[in-house]
Amino acid sequence: MPSLDLALRAALARRQELLTELHGQATDCYRLFHGSQEGAAGLTIDRYGAQLLVQSFHQPLEQERLPHFAAYYEDALGLPLQLVYNDRSQGNSRIDRRDSVYQNPASALEDMTAREWGIHYRVRGRHPGQDPLLFLDLRNARGWVKTHSAGLSVLNLFAYTCGVGLCAAAGGAREVWNLDFAEGNLAVGRENAALNPDLAPMRFVQSDYFPAIRQLAGLPMARRHGHKLPSYPRLEPRRFDLVLLDPPAWAKSAFGTVDLLRDYQSLLKPALLCTAEGGTLICCNNLAKVELEDWRAQVLRCAEKLGRPVHDCQTLAPAADFPSQDAKPPLKTLILRL
Ligand SMILES: C[S@@+](CC[C@H](N)C(=O)[O-])C[C@H]1O[C@@H](n2cnc3c(N)ncnc32)[C@H](O)[C@@H]1O
């Protein structure tokens, strides 16, 4: 498949400047090949420290190609890499990994660490979820948080493995809360915290978003007719100086539905109410089919109607390792000064 080889080479050539910059910032995890934009839709290749993570989303890769990829990047980057291949093209790829296509050397599946903005993160080639433990396209937002957190109280919503919280702690935040309903994800967040023992302790709140944010915002719990709600941790109303809202595209729970296409407002409104006067809300939308301009207008309108007008709105794009031919990257990030 010589055209794929050419595409990998071209992608690496385009990243030379970025990689030098990232290495200088104590970052060793980044996307090396973003197939949908660089000539092989459904294929991504990422470096996470010593791990080379190849993922296929449309069809499995020919196995013979894999050692070739590893050798190519080891040579180009001048370091040994442990190859992990995760095919995600089949519906059950999360569970059924008996197929030979999944066989990786045991050493590649051992726990490792990678660094971003000088912070250490857990890297694990296989775990109960499908996605890697750190989303690389959010790097610039994490960097922004690290630079702007000194002395602030920070609320990291949909925290996943708590990368944003760690950046806030590293940036000198006086208080950091990480909120997520998945204990497994918060457990990795705790591991990440342990990998950075110099950082101030953070709080981990395991809760569904809807009851937690409504309580913090001082709103009554919405009742769902005929349904008894599961129990949830009690929280006092309060505001934070910096709030990060980076939800999944869609998720349903007993308390409500996260739906970035049809109903961003019901996530945004309580998050706005939890943001201090003069504070900052960073909000994200990772759904490719949502246009930045439409979404921004919707966000600003929602804030205005709520009586929390936005005084300044900045857009933050992912770095050059997530190129976008039409200048419309799926991950859109707005930094709102209230
Ligand atoms: C796409 S990840 C968010 C990425 C994250 N903001 C980051 O910095 O990498 C989605 C996260 O939302 C969590 N989640 C989904 N629905 C939720 C809900 N209703 N309440 C709380 N957490 C939820 C998942 O457990 C997962 O950790």
Side-chain angles (χ1 to χ4, degrees):
M1 218 192 292
S3 65
L4 179 56
D5 292 345
L6 289 175
L8 299 189
R9 274 172 214 287
L12 193 61
R14 279 192 289 273
R15 281 163 175 71
Q16 281 314 319
E17 211 176 304
L18 175 71
L19 297 197
T20 307
E21 202 182 302
L22 293 176
H23 295 159
Q25 292 162 348
T27 294
D28 64 11
C29 37
Y30 37 76
R31 178 145 294 184
L32 288 160
F33 186 66
H34 191 50
S36 65
Q37 304 293 305
E38 299 190 284
L43 176 66
T44 62
I45 305 180
D46 298 322
R47 177 185 172 200
Y48 284 92
Q51 183 191 85
L52 185 73
L53 176 65
V54 178
Q55 298 182 90
S56 51
F57 294 85
H58 295 173
Q59 68 265 325
L61 270 176
E62 297 155 39
Q63 274 227 283
E64 315 77 70
R65 296 208 59 81
L66 289 164
H68 177 71
F69 285 164
Y72 171 63
Y73 286 109
E74 284 192 335
D75 186 46
L77 297 173
L79 44 95
L81 290 167
Q82 297 276 359
L83 174 74
V84 172
Y85 171 48
N86 286 339
D87 172 48
R88 297 172 60 177
S89 63
Q90 312 298 315
N92 66 352
S93 57
R94 184 180 200 153
I95 308 140
D96 185 0
R97 288 175 172 149
R98 285 164 300 177
D99 192 288
S100 65
V101 81
Y102 293 115
Q103 303 310 316
N104 291 300
S107 58
L109 298 180
E110 281 170 9
D111 283 0
M112 301 179 193
T113 57
R115 277 190 318 161
E116 186 198 81
W117 302 114
I119 297 170
H120 297 266
Y121 289 94
R122 171 60 68 225
V123 174
R124 191 169 281 142
R126 297 280 163 75
H127 58 91
Q130 296 220 70
D131 292 311
L133 296 176
L134 187 69
F135 288 109
L136 298 176
D137 53 353
L138 201 66
R139 182 192 316 114
N140 279 348
R142 283 188 291 267
W144 194 98
V145 167
K146 186 167 179 255
T147 314
H148 294 88
S149 289
L152 304 185
S153 56
V154 179
L155 176 61
N156 179 20
L157 299 164
F158 299 95
Y160 191 43
T161 54
C162 308
V164 169
L166 286 158
C167 283
R174 75 181 142 79
E175 185 184 11
V176 181
W177 287 32
N178 296 291
L179 189 140
D180 201 287
F181 69 6
E183 176 46 33
N185 294 343
L186 291 177
V188 178
R190 287 192 192 88
E191 268 185 85
N192 283 335
L195 291 171
N196 297 276
D198 295 341
L199 300 186
M202 303 186 287
R203 183 165 169 183
F204 300 88
V205 182
Q206 188 198 347
S207 172
D208 192 281
Y209 176 75
F210 294 103
I213 200 76
R214 291 190 75 84
Q215 290 180 87
L216 291 170
L219 296 170
M221 275 301 296
R223 295 201 172 274
R224 303 182 81 201
H225 193 66
H227 288 274
K228 191 172 168 339
L229 291 175
S231 62
Y232 50 87
R234 303 293 148 158
L235 299 168
E236 292 299 319
R238 63 161 295 181
R239 288 179 167 184
F240 291 81
D241 302 316
L242 175 58
V243 176
L244 188 291
L245 175 65
D246 175 28
W250 194 89
K252 194 173 167 67
S253 76
F255 294 94
T257 303
V258 175
D259 185 342
L260 301 198
L261 181 64
R262 288 169 206 85
D263 188 12
Y264 200 85
Q265 290 93 315
S266 63
L267 305 175
L268 183 64
K269 277 184 200 167
L272 282 161
L273 293 175
C274 286
T275 308
E277 209 70 57
T280 302
L281 172 67
I282 304 179
C283 56
C284 304
N285 191 324
N286 62 20
L287 210 57
K289 58 182 151 191
V290 171
E291 293 275 343
L292 172 64
E293 291 312 320
D294 298 343
W295 177 60
R296 180 174 30 209
Q298 193 187 72
V299 164
L300 297 181
R301 210 167 38 239
C302 175
E304 188 76 39
K305 273 169 69 180
L306 201 62
R308 300 300 311 277
V310 173
H311 300 302
D312 183 57
C313 174
Q314 194 187 325
T315 306
L316 195 64
D321 51 339
F322 285 82
S324 158
Q325 282 163 12
D326 58 2
K328 291 180 180 174
L331 178 63
K332 298 158 284 290
T333 302
L334 297 176
I335 303 175
L336 311 174
R337 304 266 188 197
L338 301 184

